[in-house]
Amino acid sequence: MKTMAKQFLHVKCRNSAYPGTDGQIIRAFVPDHQVCWTTFFPLYNPVTYTSPSVIGKPWADFHLDAINFKPIWNIIDGKINRVSYSGQYKIQNGYPLNPYGRTGIKGRGVLGRWGPNHAADPIVTRWKKIHSQQILHTDTGQPVLQFIAIQRKDSREWAIPGGMVDSGEVITSTLKREFMEEALNSLEKTEENIAKAKSEIEDIFKNGVEVYRGYVDDPRNTDNSWMETVAMHFHDEKGDHVGKLNLHAGDDAIGVKWIDLNRNLKLFASHISYLELVALRLNCHW
Ligand code: BGC
């Protein structure tokens, strides 16, 4: 199943303080009916904010007025993917415009790239079992699915163990790398243990199914920088590959565990919506 991005109303990047600023940077209020850039909003005058934490970082762009920084929008610009899954985005006074509309803040916030910032999300699942017996939910009678979630260091929210696509990196590599770093703590493992973990996940990661590709309603988005992702589903039907791995949080994660899937989970950014697509795919309890 392949779900291309549908335009929805972003909410997590509106009408709140900007994350990581201790409430110091407040987004301008944007009512639902004025999100769209084409709606008349003469009083719209948001603050500009780019976090000091991105300035000068090797993974980040420069200020748009920096000499010698000449990004080329809407294409793969050298090794940097400036293409949006939502189609061609507009440039206004030299700044890319968020394709999902106003966010109440200009600049890059904590995001490195002007325009799209690309991520990839591996959704790893197995059936919930007790003594090898598959568990059916008492309300729906449907099998209960479990997925691997990590707890993010930045917001403390539970999330899919995804991450940013490095420049020039292919998405399949990002998916495996992020999963290994965040859910298996590969960064602190010996070469030998990394090789073992790699071979264990290799089979499962060969058979992924794309469930979402597009814009993310992420709390870090701004009018000029936003998150996009590709979410891939990897299911361990028998639970004898990744289903048996020893989970160990690492890198940007401070916790990792299998979580029973259900519609009421509160997860980071748009992650619950990709899990809904997974539930539909496997016809499990949701
Ligand atoms: C996260 C991904 C997420 C993306 C967009 C990244 O920081 O690691 O899991 O999908 O942001 O919210």
Side-chain angles (χ1 to χ4, degrees), residues 165-166 168-175:
V165 181
D166 291 341
E169 190 178 40
V170 291
I171 283 165
T172 46
S173 306
T174 313
L175 291 162

Side-chain angles (χ1 to χ4, degrees), residues 119-121 152 160-164 216 218 220 227 229 268-269 271 274:
D121 283 292
R152 292 176 65 98
I160 297 162
M164 309 301 295
V216 182
D218 185 294
R220 298 166 293 184
M227 289 299 314
T229 200
F268 175 72
H271 288 186
Y274 320 144

Side-chain angles (χ1 to χ4, degrees), residues 15-47:
N15 306 336
S16 52
Y18 192 82
T21 64
D22 284 332
Q24 298 297 302
I25 306 289
I26 308 287
R27 294 175 184 272
F29 182 68
V30 181
D32 288 0
H33 69 280
Q34 276 169 314
V35 170
C36 184
W37 290 111
T38 53
T39 320
F40 190 56
F41 196 170
L43 293 180
Y44 184 64
N45 187 20
V47 291

Side-chain angles (χ1 to χ4, degrees), residues 140-153:
T140 57
Q142 287 175 305
V144 177
L145 194 71
Q146 296 186 312
F147 68 99
I148 294 180
I150 54 106
Q151 190 178 20
R152 292 176 65 98
K153 206 187 277 170

